[in-house]
Amino acid sequence: ATIAARNADVCLIPEMNISLPKLMAHIEEVMKRKKYAVIVVAEGCGDTIISSDAGTDAGGNKLLADVGIYLKDEITKHLKSRNMPVSIKYIDPTYMIRAVPANAFDSIYCSVLAQMAVHAAMAGYSGISVGKV
């Protein structure tokens, strides 16, 4: 989505190893050139930057460190050390996304996905995901 939108200067995803010094240098360069930067950070990318030993949740999934707050602090510290003005607007969309009430389209879409998943399972498929293409 960030590639399609074309307005993000940095997009960090869990599948990549992130060098914090290189990231800070890039953000500094973007800030010098544009006076602002849009940075999108996926929830799971913190494992390559900071280590988390928070255990697991009730479903057995690894609890992730809060990489957004960590990066906000690191970027602020880095830019201030370079005497660059910085004002970070940190937005965590977690609750905004989950707080929107479902509508009729959502209900129909979920029903279609469920039917497709059952159809795939009955056909013998496993290890797949279903979705609208």
Side-chain angles (χ1 to χ4, degrees):
T2 57
I3 293 171
R6 297 178 160 240
N7 57 2
D9 299 298
V10 176
C11 179
L12 303 177
I13 58 174
E15 292 80 8
M16 58 194 289
N17 290 324
I18 300 164
S19 165
L20 196 57
K22 288 181 182 179
L23 175 63
M24 293 299 137
H26 178 71
I27 292 170
E28 181 181 345
E29 186 272 323
V30 169
M31 290 292 291
K32 284 179 181 176
R33 184 171 31 89
K34 293 172 53 176
K35 307 292 185 221
Y36 70 92
V38 176
I39 303 167
V40 178
V41 182
E43 181 181 30
C45 81
D47 287 348
T48 60
I49 300 174
I50 52 178
S51 60
S52 170
D53 192 25
T56 58
D57 64 10
N61 301 308
K62 181 179 176 184
L63 292 174
L64 303 171
D66 195 350
V67 69
I69 299 294
Y70 174 79
L71 281 176
K72 176 182 180 266
D73 294 342
E74 289 298 311
I75 293 167
T76 301
K77 187 171 26 174
H78 177 79
L79 294 177
K80 283 188 176 183
S81 74
R82 301 289 199 264
N83 292 322
M84 295 180 70
V86 59
S87 173
I88 296 180
K89 310 302 186 257
Y90 176 75
I91 302 169
D92 182 352
T94 306
Y95 295 107
M96 288 187 284
I97 292 170
R98 294 181 183 156
V100 176
N103 59 27
F105 175 80
D106 295 328
S107 179
I108 293 168
Y109 183 58
C110 289
S111 295
V112 170
L113 290 179
Q115 290 171 358
M116 290 167 54
V118 170
H119 181 72
M122 297 299 287
Y125 291 99
S126 63
I128 64 162
S129 295
V130 295
K132 185 176 179 182
V133 180

